[in-house]
């Protein structure tokens, strides 16, 4: 199987990872705001209000775009920058935690940075 045959697999995997990041951050945010359990949180995201569902899909799409742009940049310059993006992403996570952002964005960006760090580690292991 050549690399072109695996492109749909890579796209699906990246979409799934960004979906997980958006879903976890939305669930934490909804559960904190409404003081509800997981089942009610899922209902609030997908069933009760179309605007919440559209907002979730927008966050997921933005996560996917950020992840793909990051992946393209890192793959292009991975021989030059090595481990520096990990340090940069950890600093970004700390700054995000300190900034007075809406908790949804804090959770979402921190989870997305975590997945980016995992991807860097996987690529570094694969290359060595």
């Amino acid at each position: 199987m050549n690399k072109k045959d695996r492109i749909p697999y890579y796209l699906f995997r990246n979409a799934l990872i960004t979906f997980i990041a958006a879903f976890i951050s939305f669930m934490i945010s909804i559960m904190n705001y409404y003081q509800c359990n997981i089942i009610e949180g899922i209902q609030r995201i997908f069933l009760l209000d179309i605007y919440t569902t559209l907002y979730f899909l927008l966050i997921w799409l933005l996560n996917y775009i950020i992840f793909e742009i990051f992946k393209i940049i890192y793959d292009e310059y991975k021989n030059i920058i090595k481990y520096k993006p990990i340090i940069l992403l950890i600093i970004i996570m700390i700054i995000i935690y300190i900034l007075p952002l809406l908790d949804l964005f804090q959770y979402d960006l921190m989870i997305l940075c975590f997945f980016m760090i995992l991807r860097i580690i996987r690529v570094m292991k694969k290359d060595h």
Side-chain angles (χ1 to χ4, degrees):
M1 182 183 288
N2 64 16
K3 192 167 181 123
K4 285 186 178 183
D5 293 339
R6 289 186 258 168
I7 289 176
Y9 166 74
Y10 294 139
L11 294 175
F12 175 75
R13 183 189 63 199
N14 295 342
L16 182 64
I17 296 241
T18 55
F19 177 84
I20 290 170
F23 182 75
I24 290 172
S25 59
F26 247 83
M27 284 303 296
I28 293 171
S29 182
I30 293 278
M31 289 169 56
N32 285 341
Y33 185 77
Y34 289 107
Q35 297 297 313
C36 62
N37 60 18
I38 292 174
I39 301 300
E40 188 178 342
I42 292 171
Q43 289 174 348
R44 288 190 179 275
I45 292 174
F46 296 111
L47 300 176
L48 297 180
D49 188 9
I50 187 69
Y51 296 113
T52 306
T53 306
L54 292 175
Y55 193 57
F56 169 77
L57 293 174
L58 179 65
I59 295 292
W60 179 25
L61 178 65
L62 290 174
N63 280 353
Y64 185 77
I65 291 169
I66 290 169
F67 193 81
E68 286 295 329
I69 290 172
F70 165 78
K71 189 179 78 152
I72 290 167
I73 292 171
Y74 182 76
D75 287 346
E76 188 66 31
Y77 296 107
K78 68 183 171 189
N79 295 332
I80 300 169
I81 54 178
K82 305 272 183 204
Y83 61 88
K84 293 174 187 166
I86 294 175
I87 296 170
L88 180 65
L89 287 169
I90 291 172
I91 291 170
I92 289 172
M93 288 172 71
I94 292 169
I95 291 171
I96 289 169
Y97 183 75
I98 294 171
L99 288 176
L101 295 173
L102 186 64
D103 63 345
L104 169 64
F105 297 121
Q106 280 184 329
Y107 299 137
D108 186 56
L109 293 173
M110 290 176 72
I111 293 169
L112 195 60
C113 286
F114 177 73
F115 283 138
M116 288 177 188
I117 289 170
L118 289 178
R119 184 186 186 284
I120 291 170
I121 292 169
R122 184 185 62 81
V123 169
M124 287 173 66
K125 279 185 174 183
K126 188 173 92 173
D127 288 344
H128 284 83

